């Protein structure tokens, strides 16, 4: 995780203009991805089988047809369910905050339901990490199914990209700590997806279980933890 700390330091050293108020007012959503959050995500999954899929793409088998800014997938599978996902925005506004969060959650519960069709373990083991960044601020959550039709969204942590030098070291350490939790959860979910995929065979049980996918269209009930 030294790459994340080094990246924060180098950004302040070589591109200090990115942090003045004039630049901040001019930056777009894509600027925040390219200059700040994107390199962190890239370095986070070096030497893993997880790759980042950017640019308004649709998740596998999601009936809502949402287009997400970021989906993390397993390179070991031809068609992978999301092992993490993220949304980004230019600035923190109430409408953007709630619309992006709704998209992440609704898309995520479909991914979880699909994985649980073949996973043989405890359903609460399937935890999908979610990342939402607005400007220099980001929240990291995870979503799981507690019981039939009851889903829980819980917070992993909150991070801010360091924008002033006096906070550089402290906030870089927090970045590393919280993103490590995000990474580990994504890797664990990938292992579950791979295990479930290897156990999938054409049996009467698997064929008939496909019919139960229609249950995803039924109303869901969420348990919302402290934001």
């Amino acid at each position: 995780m030294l790459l994340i700390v080094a990246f924060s330091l180098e950004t302040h050293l070589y591109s200090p203009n990115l942090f003045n108020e004039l630049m901040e007012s001019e930056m777009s959503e894509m600027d925040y991805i390219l200059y700040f959050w994107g390199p962190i995500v890239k370095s986070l999954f070096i030497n893993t089988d997880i790759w980042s899929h950017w640019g308004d793409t649709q998740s596998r088998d999601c009936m809502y047809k949402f287009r997400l800014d970021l989906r993390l997938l397993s390179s070991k599978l031809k068609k992978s369910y999301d092992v993490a996902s993220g949304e980004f925005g230019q600035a923190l506004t109430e409408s953007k905050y709630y619309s992006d969060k709704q998209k992440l959650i609704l898309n995520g519960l479909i991914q979880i339901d699909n994985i649980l069709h073949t996973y043989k373990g405890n359903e609460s083991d399937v935890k999908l990490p979610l990342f939402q960044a607005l400007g220099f601020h980001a929240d990291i959550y995870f979503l799981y199914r507690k019981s039939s039709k009851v889903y829980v969204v819980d917070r992993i942590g909150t991070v801010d990209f360091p924008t002033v030098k006096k906070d550089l070291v402290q906030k870089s350490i927090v970045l590393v700590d919280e993103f490590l939790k995000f990474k580990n959860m994504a890797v664990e979910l990938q292992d579950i997806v791979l295990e479930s995929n290897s156990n999938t065979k054409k049996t009467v049980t698997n064929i008939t279980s496909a019919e139960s996918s229609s249950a995803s269209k039924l109303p869901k009930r969420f348990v919302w933890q402290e934001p």
Side-chain angles (χ1 to χ4, degrees):
M1 292 299 99
L2 289 176
L3 287 174
I4 294 179
V5 176
F7 168 70
S8 299
L9 295 172
E10 289 174 358
T11 303
H12 276 270
L13 181 63
Y14 299 116
S15 303
N17 58 304
L18 293 175
F19 301 102
N20 66 52
E21 292 183 5
L22 178 61
M23 280 293 296
E24 186 174 345
S25 64
E26 293 293 325
M27 284 194 292
S28 66
E29 175 181 311
M30 186 55 66
D31 289 331
Y32 282 102
I33 294 174
L34 291 175
Y35 291 122
F36 305 108
W37 301 114
I40 290 177
V41 173
K42 180 181 178 181
S43 64
L44 195 63
F45 292 96
I46 287 177
N47 295 325
T48 72
D49 296 308
I50 295 175
W51 64 286
S52 50
H53 195 21
W54 296 92
D56 291 333
T57 63
Q58 293 183 1
S59 298
R60 178 181 173 186
D61 298 337
C62 182
M63 64 181 180
Y64 298 113
K65 305 300 181 184
F66 289 132
R67 293 187 176 274
L68 300 180
D69 294 331
L70 169 65
R71 295 166 52 229
L72 291 165
L73 309 173
S74 172
S75 60
K76 288 188 173 183
L77 294 173
K78 184 177 181 180
K79 291 185 177 181
S80 172
Y81 290 116
D82 301 353
V83 297
S85 56
E87 279 289 298
F88 301 82
Q90 177 185 16
L92 179 56
T93 63
E94 185 175 347
S95 60
K96 179 67 171 172
Y97 176 82
Y98 285 109
S99 63
D100 280 359
K101 180 161 298 201
Q102 181 185 49
K103 186 193 300 186
L104 286 169
I105 291 173
L106 291 177
N107 184 81
L109 67 88
I110 298 298
Q111 300 299 294
I112 288 175
D113 284 351
N114 287 329
I115 294 171
L116 286 173
H117 286 159
T118 54
Y119 180 60
K120 305 302 181 184
N122 191 317
E123 61 183 9
S124 62
D125 293 340
V126 180
K127 296 181 173 68
L128 176 69
L130 307 172
F131 175 77
Q132 183 180 16
L134 292 169
F136 291 112
H137 176 82
D139 292 318
I140 307 175
Y141 300 93
F142 65 93
L143 172 68
Y144 68 97
R145 194 168 82 184
K146 186 175 182 179
S147 61
S148 179
K149 306 309 171 190
V150 177
Y151 297 79
V152 178
V153 182
D154 209 346
R155 183 187 294 275
I156 296 176
T158 298
V159 296
D160 292 288
F161 193 95
T163 58
V164 293
K165 291 183 179 179
K166 68 181 181 67
D167 296 331
L168 188 54
V169 174
Q170 181 180 0
K171 288 194 173 182
S172 294
I173 292 173
V174 174
L175 274 177
V176 170
D177 288 344
E178 300 304 328
F179 272 109
L180 270 177
K181 299 173 188 176
F182 179 79
K183 173 188 177 180
N184 292 338
M185 194 167 288
V187 171
E188 289 173 5
L189 183 55
Q190 178 195 228
D191 292 341
I192 287 175
V193 172
L194 292 173
E195 177 187 344
S196 301
N197 187 72
S198 64
N199 291 336
T200 302
K201 297 180 181 179
K202 288 187 176 181
T203 65
V204 172
T205 301
N206 289 330
I207 293 173
T208 55
S209 66
E211 299 175 0
S212 65
S213 62
S214 60
S216 298
K217 300 179 181 179
L218 298 175
K220 312 289 184 181
R221 184 161 67 91
F222 295 95
V223 177
W224 179 254
Q225 305 289 50
E226 182 181 355

